[in-house]
Amino acid sequence: MLKNRYAAFGLFVVVFVLFFNLLDFMYTAWIAGGTYRFSAGLDLGVPLLPGLILGYVLFLHKKES
């Protein structure tokens, strides 16, 4: 586990976006039978917002004791 919370947050967001696109590729190519087309607006923007929110909650949010 990374000790720096900000590095863990950044790594989480990058992995979240990559995993989201991988799942989108697998669905499009194998299940739907179409061709995968990458668009920066949808394929980066859509998973980036939930990745940032979830990463903030998991890594940067101060826990109240």
mmCIF file of all heavy atoms in Angstrom, residues 20-48:
data_model
loop_
_atom_site.group_PDB
_atom_site.id
_atom_site.type_symbol
_atom_site.label_atom_id
_atom_site.label_comp_id
_atom_site.label_asym_id
_atom_site.label_seq_id
_atom_site.Cartn_x
_atom_site.Cartn_y
_atom_site.Cartn_z
ATOM 1 N N PHE A 20 -12.304 0.871 -16.634
ATOM 2 C CA PHE A 20 -13.593 1.205 -17.226
ATOM 3 C C PHE A 20 -13.526 1.050 -18.747
ATOM 4 O O PHE A 20 -14.427 0.475 -19.364
ATOM 5 C CB PHE A 20 -13.983 2.635 -16.851
ATOM 6 C CG PHE A 20 -15.345 3.042 -17.331
ATOM 7 C CD1 PHE A 20 -16.445 2.843 -16.531
ATOM 8 C CD2 PHE A 20 -15.514 3.630 -18.580
ATOM 9 C CE1 PHE A 20 -17.705 3.231 -16.969
ATOM 10 C CE2 PHE A 20 -16.757 4.006 -19.027
ATOM 11 C CZ PHE A 20 -17.863 3.807 -18.220
ATOM 12 N N ASN A 21 -12.452 1.549 -19.359
ATOM 13 C CA ASN A 21 -12.305 1.445 -20.806
ATOM 14 C C ASN A 21 -12.073 0.006 -21.250
ATOM 15 O O ASN A 21 -12.537 -0.393 -22.319
ATOM 16 C CB ASN A 21 -11.172 2.351 -21.296
ATOM 17 C CG ASN A 21 -11.630 3.777 -21.381
ATOM 18 O OD1 ASN A 21 -12.523 4.102 -22.142
ATOM 19 N ND2 ASN A 21 -11.029 4.633 -20.572
ATOM 20 N N LEU A 22 -11.366 -0.765 -20.450
ATOM 21 C CA LEU A 22 -11.173 -2.173 -20.767
ATOM 22 C C LEU A 22 -12.509 -2.916 -20.756
ATOM 23 O O LEU A 22 -12.798 -3.707 -21.662
ATOM 24 C CB LEU A 22 -10.203 -2.819 -19.777
ATOM 25 C CG LEU A 22 -9.964 -4.316 -19.947
ATOM 26 C CD1 LEU A 22 -9.252 -4.588 -21.268
ATOM 27 C CD2 LEU A 22 -9.168 -4.853 -18.783
ATOM 28 N N LEU A 23 -13.326 -2.657 -19.743
ATOM 29 C CA LEU A 23 -14.644 -3.289 -19.694
ATOM 30 C C LEU A 23 -15.518 -2.841 -20.856
ATOM 31 O O LEU A 23 -16.265 -3.640 -21.432
ATOM 32 C CB LEU A 23 -15.330 -2.980 -18.363
ATOM 33 C CG LEU A 23 -14.742 -3.655 -17.138
ATOM 34 C CD1 LEU A 23 -15.494 -3.208 -15.889
ATOM 35 C CD2 LEU A 23 -14.788 -5.155 -17.274
ATOM 36 N N ASP A 24 -15.447 -1.565 -21.225
ATOM 37 C CA ASP A 24 -16.198 -1.052 -22.359
ATOM 38 C C ASP A 24 -15.745 -1.717 -23.654
ATOM 39 O O ASP A 24 -16.568 -2.089 -24.496
ATOM 40 C CB ASP A 24 -16.037 0.461 -22.450
ATOM 41 C CG ASP A 24 -16.928 1.084 -23.493
ATOM 42 O OD1 ASP A 24 -18.002 0.514 -23.792
ATOM 43 O OD2 ASP A 24 -16.565 2.164 -24.002
ATOM 44 N N PHE A 25 -14.437 -1.889 -23.822
ATOM 45 C CA PHE A 25 -13.903 -2.572 -25.006
ATOM 46 C C PHE A 25 -14.390 -4.021 -25.067
ATOM 47 O O PHE A 25 -14.819 -4.498 -26.116
ATOM 48 C CB PHE A 25 -12.378 -2.532 -25.000
ATOM 49 C CG PHE A 25 -11.763 -3.403 -26.050
ATOM 50 C CD1 PHE A 25 -11.757 -3.011 -27.378
ATOM 51 C CD2 PHE A 25 -11.200 -4.619 -25.708
ATOM 52 C CE1 PHE A 25 -11.200 -3.816 -28.346
ATOM 53 C CE2 PHE A 25 -10.646 -5.422 -26.669
ATOM 54 C CZ PHE A 25 -10.641 -5.020 -27.994
ATOM 55 N N MET A 26 -14.303 -4.728 -23.932
ATOM 56 C CA MET A 26 -14.720 -6.130 -23.915
ATOM 57 C C MET A 26 -16.209 -6.265 -24.218
ATOM 58 O O MET A 26 -16.616 -7.153 -24.963
ATOM 59 C CB MET A 26 -14.369 -6.775 -22.567
ATOM 60 C CG MET A 26 -12.892 -6.960 -22.398
ATOM 61 S SD MET A 26 -12.291 -7.717 -20.857
ATOM 62 C CE MET A 26 -13.663 -7.986 -19.845
ATOM 63 N N TYR A 27 -17.023 -5.385 -23.667
ATOM 64 C CA TYR A 27 -18.457 -5.431 -23.945
ATOM 65 C C TYR A 27 -18.742 -5.169 -25.418
ATOM 66 O O TYR A 27 -19.498 -5.896 -26.056
ATOM 67 C CB TYR A 27 -19.214 -4.422 -23.078
ATOM 68 C CG TYR A 27 -20.660 -4.310 -23.479
ATOM 69 C CD1 TYR A 27 -21.563 -5.287 -23.100
ATOM 70 C CD2 TYR A 27 -21.110 -3.261 -24.269
ATOM 71 C CE1 TYR A 27 -22.884 -5.216 -23.490
ATOM 72 C CE2 TYR A 27 -22.422 -3.175 -24.662
ATOM 73 C CZ TYR A 27 -23.312 -4.152 -24.265
ATOM 74 O OH TYR A 27 -24.621 -4.079 -24.669
ATOM 75 N N THR A 28 -18.114 -4.120 -25.954
ATOM 76 C CA THR A 28 -18.378 -3.750 -27.341
ATOM 77 C C THR A 28 -17.893 -4.823 -28.307
ATOM 78 O O THR A 28 -18.598 -5.170 -29.257
ATOM 79 C CB THR A 28 -17.688 -2.412 -27.674
ATOM 80 O OG1 THR A 28 -18.150 -1.418 -26.773
ATOM 81 C CG2 THR A 28 -17.991 -1.973 -29.088
ATOM 82 N N ALA A 29 -16.707 -5.345 -28.083
ATOM 83 C CA ALA A 29 -16.132 -6.301 -29.024
ATOM 84 C C ALA A 29 -16.726 -7.700 -28.891
ATOM 85 O O ALA A 29 -16.994 -8.351 -29.905
ATOM 86 C CB ALA A 29 -14.622 -6.361 -28.834
ATOM 87 N N TRP A 30 -16.917 -8.164 -27.683
ATOM 88 C CA TRP A 30 -17.316 -9.562 -27.511
ATOM 89 C C TRP A 30 -18.808 -9.763 -27.316
ATOM 90 O O TRP A 30 -19.375 -10.704 -27.848
ATOM 91 C CB TRP A 30 -16.574 -10.177 -26.332
ATOM 92 C CG TRP A 30 -15.094 -10.259 -26.558
ATOM 93 C CD1 TRP A 30 -14.439 -10.227 -27.755
ATOM 94 C CD2 TRP A 30 -14.091 -10.365 -25.567
ATOM 95 N NE1 TRP A 30 -13.090 -10.314 -27.562
ATOM 96 C CE2 TRP A 30 -12.837 -10.406 -26.235
ATOM 97 C CE3 TRP A 30 -14.107 -10.433 -24.191
ATOM 98 C CZ2 TRP A 30 -11.638 -10.519 -25.551
ATOM 99 C CZ3 TRP A 30 -12.906 -10.545 -23.518
ATOM 100 C CH2 TRP A 30 -11.686 -10.593 -24.197
ATOM 101 N N ILE A 31 -19.460 -8.927 -26.547
ATOM 102 C CA ILE A 31 -20.874 -9.144 -26.255
ATOM 103 C C ILE A 31 -21.761 -8.505 -27.316
ATOM 104 O O ILE A 31 -22.651 -9.146 -27.864
ATOM 105 C CB ILE A 31 -21.221 -8.631 -24.846
ATOM 106 C CG1 ILE A 31 -20.452 -9.445 -23.814
ATOM 107 C CG2 ILE A 31 -22.716 -8.709 -24.588
ATOM 108 C CD1 ILE A 31 -20.571 -8.959 -22.398
ATOM 109 N N ALA A 32 -21.528 -7.228 -27.616
ATOM 110 C CA ALA A 32 -22.361 -6.525 -28.589
ATOM 111 C C ALA A 32 -21.951 -6.846 -30.023
ATOM 112 O O ALA A 32 -22.746 -6.671 -30.943
ATOM 113 C CB ALA A 32 -22.295 -5.021 -28.352
ATOM 114 N N GLY A 33 -20.711 -7.282 -30.238
ATOM 115 C CA GLY A 33 -20.252 -7.662 -31.554
ATOM 116 C C GLY A 33 -19.948 -6.490 -32.469
ATOM 117 O O GLY A 33 -19.896 -6.646 -33.680
ATOM 118 N N GLY A 34 -19.733 -5.314 -31.908
ATOM 119 C CA GLY A 34 -19.430 -4.139 -32.717
ATOM 120 C C GLY A 34 -17.952 -3.817 -32.710
ATOM 121 O O GLY A 34 -17.121 -4.603 -32.254
ATOM 122 N N THR A 35 -17.631 -2.657 -33.250
ATOM 123 C CA THR A 35 -16.245 -2.191 -33.230
ATOM 124 C C THR A 35 -16.108 -1.111 -32.169
ATOM 125 O O THR A 35 -16.972 -0.246 -32.032
ATOM 126 C CB THR A 35 -15.826 -1.630 -34.596
ATOM 127 O OG1 THR A 35 -16.737 -0.615 -34.971
ATOM 128 C CG2 THR A 35 -15.825 -2.708 -35.653
ATOM 129 N N TYR A 36 -15.035 -1.169 -31.449
ATOM 130 C CA TYR A 36 -14.781 -0.217 -30.369
ATOM 131 C C TYR A 36 -14.220 1.070 -30.950
ATOM 132 O O TYR A 36 -13.259 1.047 -31.712
ATOM 133 C CB TYR A 36 -13.808 -0.818 -29.355
ATOM 134 C CG TYR A 36 -13.459 0.103 -28.222
ATOM 135 C CD1 TYR A 36 -14.382 0.369 -27.219
ATOM 136 C CD2 TYR A 36 -12.216 0.705 -28.147
ATOM 137 C CE1 TYR A 36 -14.068 1.206 -26.176
ATOM 138 C CE2 TYR A 36 -11.895 1.549 -27.110
ATOM 139 C CZ TYR A 36 -12.826 1.797 -26.124
ATOM 140 O OH TYR A 36 -12.503 2.633 -25.092
ATOM 141 N N ARG A 37 -14.823 2.193 -30.594
ATOM 142 C CA ARG A 37 -14.336 3.502 -31.018
ATOM 143 C C ARG A 37 -14.083 4.337 -29.773
ATOM 144 O O ARG A 37 -14.983 4.577 -28.987
ATOM 145 C CB ARG A 37 -15.366 4.185 -31.902
ATOM 146 C CG ARG A 37 -15.544 3.506 -33.217
ATOM 147 C CD ARG A 37 -16.387 4.340 -34.157
ATOM 148 N NE ARG A 37 -16.553 3.624 -35.399
ATOM 149 C CZ ARG A 37 -17.693 3.068 -35.778
ATOM 150 N NH1 ARG A 37 -18.761 3.179 -35.031
ATOM 151 N NH2 ARG A 37 -17.754 2.416 -36.907
ATOM 152 N N PHE A 38 -12.847 4.780 -29.635
ATOM 153 C CA PHE A 38 -12.462 5.587 -28.481
ATOM 154 C C PHE A 38 -12.744 7.050 -28.764
ATOM 155 O O PHE A 38 -12.347 7.583 -29.791
ATOM 156 C CB PHE A 38 -10.968 5.406 -28.183
ATOM 157 C CG PHE A 38 -10.491 6.196 -27.009
ATOM 158 C CD1 PHE A 38 -10.682 5.722 -25.728
ATOM 159 C CD2 PHE A 38 -9.866 7.413 -27.176
ATOM 160 C CE1 PHE A 38 -10.248 6.431 -24.636
ATOM 161 C CE2 PHE A 38 -9.422 8.139 -26.103
ATOM 162 C CZ PHE A 38 -9.622 7.655 -24.826
ATOM 163 N N SER A 39 -13.469 7.696 -27.851
ATOM 164 C CA SER A 39 -13.675 9.144 -27.946
ATOM 165 C C SER A 39 -13.240 9.756 -26.614
ATOM 166 O O SER A 39 -13.621 9.290 -25.545
ATOM 167 C CB SER A 39 -15.131 9.477 -28.249
ATOM 168 O OG SER A 39 -15.952 9.172 -27.157
ATOM 169 N N ALA A 40 -12.447 10.798 -26.718
ATOM 170 C CA ALA A 40 -11.859 11.379 -25.513
ATOM 171 C C ALA A 40 -12.928 11.928 -24.574
ATOM 172 O O ALA A 40 -12.803 11.829 -23.357
ATOM 173 C CB ALA A 40 -10.867 12.473 -25.886
ATOM 174 N N GLY A 41 -13.965 12.512 -25.104
ATOM 175 C CA GLY A 41 -15.002 13.091 -24.256
ATOM 176 C C GLY A 41 -15.737 12.065 -23.427
ATOM 177 O O GLY A 41 -15.889 12.215 -22.214
ATOM 178 N N LEU A 42 -16.197 11.006 -24.070
ATOM 179 C CA LEU A 42 -16.973 9.998 -23.353
ATOM 180 C C LEU A 42 -16.114 8.968 -22.634
ATOM 181 O O LEU A 42 -16.400 8.595 -21.501
ATOM 182 C CB LEU A 42 -17.923 9.287 -24.320
ATOM 183 C CG LEU A 42 -19.077 10.126 -24.848
ATOM 184 C CD1 LEU A 42 -19.876 9.332 -25.872
ATOM 185 C CD2 LEU A 42 -19.978 10.573 -23.718
ATOM 186 N N ASP A 43 -15.074 8.502 -23.275
ATOM 187 C CA ASP A 43 -14.288 7.420 -22.688
ATOM 188 C C ASP A 43 -13.288 7.886 -21.643
ATOM 189 O O ASP A 43 -12.739 7.070 -20.911
ATOM 190 C CB ASP A 43 -13.573 6.639 -23.786
ATOM 191 C CG ASP A 43 -14.571 5.876 -24.653
ATOM 192 O OD1 ASP A 43 -15.603 5.443 -24.114
ATOM 193 O OD2 ASP A 43 -14.308 5.721 -25.854
ATOM 194 N N LEU A 44 -13.034 9.169 -21.572
ATOM 195 C CA LEU A 44 -12.198 9.697 -20.494
ATOM 196 C C LEU A 44 -13.024 10.492 -19.497
ATOM 197 O O LEU A 44 -12.804 10.415 -18.296
ATOM 198 C CB LEU A 44 -11.067 10.567 -21.049
ATOM 199 C CG LEU A 44 -9.975 9.850 -21.807
ATOM 200 C CD1 LEU A 44 -8.945 10.843 -22.312
ATOM 201 C CD2 LEU A 44 -9.320 8.800 -20.964
ATOM 202 N N GLY A 45 -13.969 11.265 -19.993
ATOM 203 C CA GLY A 45 -14.757 12.135 -19.126
ATOM 204 C C GLY A 45 -15.739 11.398 -18.240
ATOM 205 O O GLY A 45 -15.884 11.711 -17.058
ATOM 206 N N VAL A 46 -16.433 10.426 -18.804
ATOM 207 C CA VAL A 46 -17.459 9.704 -18.031
ATOM 208 C C VAL A 46 -16.857 8.916 -16.870
ATOM 209 O O VAL A 46 -17.334 9.027 -15.744
ATOM 210 C CB VAL A 46 -18.299 8.809 -18.965
ATOM 211 C CG1 VAL A 46 -19.207 7.893 -18.190
ATOM 212 C CG2 VAL A 46 -19.118 9.671 -19.922
ATOM 213 N N PRO A 47 -15.803 8.126 -17.061
ATOM 214 C CA PRO A 47 -15.250 7.407 -15.903
ATOM 215 C C PRO A 47 -14.392 8.287 -14.998
ATOM 216 O O PRO A 47 -14.130 7.926 -13.855
ATOM 217 C CB PRO A 47 -14.425 6.285 -16.518
ATOM 218 C CG PRO A 47 -14.077 6.765 -17.864
ATOM 219 C CD PRO A 47 -15.195 7.644 -18.307
ATOM 220 N N LEU A 48 -13.954 9.442 -15.497
ATOM 221 C CA LEU A 48 -13.093 10.300 -14.680
ATOM 222 C C LEU A 48 -13.851 10.889 -13.499
ATOM 223 O O LEU A 48 -13.334 10.915 -12.376
ATOM 224 C CB LEU A 48 -12.498 11.418 -15.538
ATOM 225 C CG LEU A 48 -11.455 12.289 -14.862
ATOM 226 C CD1 LEU A 48 -10.252 11.449 -14.474
ATOM 227 C CD2 LEU A 48 -11.046 13.417 -15.775
#
